[in-house]
């Protein structure tokens, strides 16, 4: 599998849906393969992430134009139904750590769709893995702290290729942990993405990468990956 970078835009639009195309454009320019949003989280009437099919079309159209794949974390049954009935053939879905614990039945329904699905395990603290193995199920190592300090990273895989994880969903400050994950064989990297780290609308801005930081991370990570491919 080629090294894949997910720009977790999430709610970093702050409810200003006019920012969606620019966030996607900047993510694409920074080297993201996938631009990810959240569907069904803080999405009630009047809340900042009340994405309707109108906004979904803006996201999909902008992603197609700027050459990046759209992906959504599915948080509710309604969100799944919305995405299933939307006129677009999504390639991937994402499951957030909290959904694994709070609504495993929903996760099973998402997996039943047959799409490649990334599942973060930041909140999973039990023995074993939460779901039976499927060809479309891909686990991401994750620590669900916001931000996650370097000394918070526990049980970081020594070799992703021999672990249950295909990749790493990162909440740390900086990009060092991402580069470590790639050096240890991670094939998928998810990193929060913002246009302004100083924005205090939601906590995610502070732990996000700017376009310049994301681009530098992608460049360095791909260089490490090429060295690994050479057997260095």
């Amino acid at each position: 599998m080629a090294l894949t970078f997910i720009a977790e835009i999430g709610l970093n639009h702050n409810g200003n849906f006019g920012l969606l195309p620019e966030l996607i454009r900047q993510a694409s320019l920074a080297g993201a393969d996938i631009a990810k949003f959240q569907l069904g989280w803080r999405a009630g009437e009047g809340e900042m992430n009340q994405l309707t099919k109108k906004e979904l079309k803006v996201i999909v159209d902008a992603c197609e134009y700027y050459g990046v794949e759209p992906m959504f974390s599915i948080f509710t049954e309604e969100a799944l139904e919305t995405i299933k009935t939307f006129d677009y053939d999504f390639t991937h879905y994402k499951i957030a750590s909290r959904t694994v614990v709070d609504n495993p039945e929903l996760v099973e329904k998402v997996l039943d769709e047959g799409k490649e699905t990334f599942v973060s395990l930041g909140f999973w603290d039990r023995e074993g893995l939460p779901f039976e193995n499927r060809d479309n199920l891909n686990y991401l190592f994750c620590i669900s702290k916001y931000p996650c300090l370097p000394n918070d990273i526990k049980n970081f895989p020594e070799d992703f290729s021999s672990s249950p994880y295909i990749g790493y969903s990162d909440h740390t400050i900086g990009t060092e942990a991402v580069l470590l994950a790639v050096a240890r064989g991670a094939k998928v990297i998810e990193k929060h993405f913002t246009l302004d780290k100083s924005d205090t609308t939601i906590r995610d801005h502070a732990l996000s990468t700017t376009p310049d930081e994301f681009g530098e991370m992608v460049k360095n990570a791909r260089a490490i990956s090429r060295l690994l491919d050479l057997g260095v």
Side-chain angles (χ1 to χ4, degrees):
M1 179 180 184
L3 187 57
T4 299
F5 290 91
I6 303 168
E8 160 65 292
I9 294 171
L11 276 64
N12 281 350
H13 51 72
N14 296 337
N16 177 3
F17 298 140
L19 275 180
L20 293 172
E22 178 62 6
L23 281 159
I24 292 165
R25 184 178 80 92
Q26 291 292 343
S28 176
L29 290 172
D33 301 290
I34 297 173
K36 199 201 85 174
F37 298 85
Q38 297 178 4
L39 194 61
W41 180 249
R42 297 183 67 176
E45 187 68 33
E47 290 190 287
M48 68 183 302
N49 197 44
Q50 190 183 8
L51 297 173
T52 67
K53 288 190 175 181
K54 175 183 176 182
E55 285 76 47
L56 295 188
K57 188 175 188 310
V58 169
I59 290 170
V60 167
D61 287 350
C63 283
E64 287 192 322
Y65 183 80
Y66 291 114
V68 63
E69 180 188 334
M71 183 172 73
F72 290 90
S73 288
I74 306 299
F75 280 88
T76 63
E77 301 273 356
E78 293 77 13
L80 178 59
E81 189 59 30
T82 296
I83 217 74
K84 285 168 56 178
T85 58
F86 190 77
D87 186 21
Y88 183 80
D89 186 17
F90 292 94
T91 305
H92 294 89
Y93 291 145
K94 173 71 195 296
I95 297 295
S97 296
R98 69 178 64 251
T99 309
V100 172
V101 176
D102 294 343
N103 197 345
E105 295 82 6
L106 174 61
V107 181
E108 295 283 5
K109 290 181 180 179
V110 172
L111 290 169
D112 285 344
E113 292 298 303
K115 309 285 187 181
E116 289 289 325
T117 302
F118 299 117
V119 178
S120 287
L121 292 185
F123 284 145
W124 183 252
D125 58 359
R126 305 173 197 174
E127 292 293 325
L129 297 169
F131 306 105
E132 290 188 9
N133 188 40
R134 303 187 189 209
D135 290 341
N136 64 322
L137 171 58
N138 303 284
Y139 290 116
L140 300 181
F141 181 81
C142 177
I143 301 293
S144 294
K145 293 187 177 182
Y146 306 85
C148 176
L149 300 178
N151 59 340
D152 291 323
I153 302 176
K154 308 296 184 185
N155 302 318
F156 201 82
E158 293 185 6
D159 181 359
F160 277 80
S161 65
S162 61
S163 79
Y165 309 104
I166 196 172
Y168 176 47
S169 179
D170 182 56
H171 298 141
T172 63
I173 301 296
T175 60
E176 295 86 353
V178 165
L179 299 181
L180 177 62
V182 173
R184 292 185 177 184
K187 292 300 185 182
V188 177
I189 295 296
E190 180 179 51
K191 183 73 175 173
H192 284 255
F193 185 85
T194 183
L195 301 181
D196 182 5
K197 292 173 72 168
S198 68
D199 194 314
T200 59
T201 307
I202 60 171
R203 67 183 179 185
D204 289 353
H205 290 288
L207 57 94
S208 298
T209 47
T210 63
D212 285 346
E213 290 171 332
F214 195 97
E216 188 72 10
M217 177 189 74
V218 170
K219 181 180 72 173
N220 290 331
R222 292 202 186 281
I224 291 170
S225 182
R226 287 194 294 273
L227 288 172
L228 292 174
D229 289 342
L230 291 173
V232 174

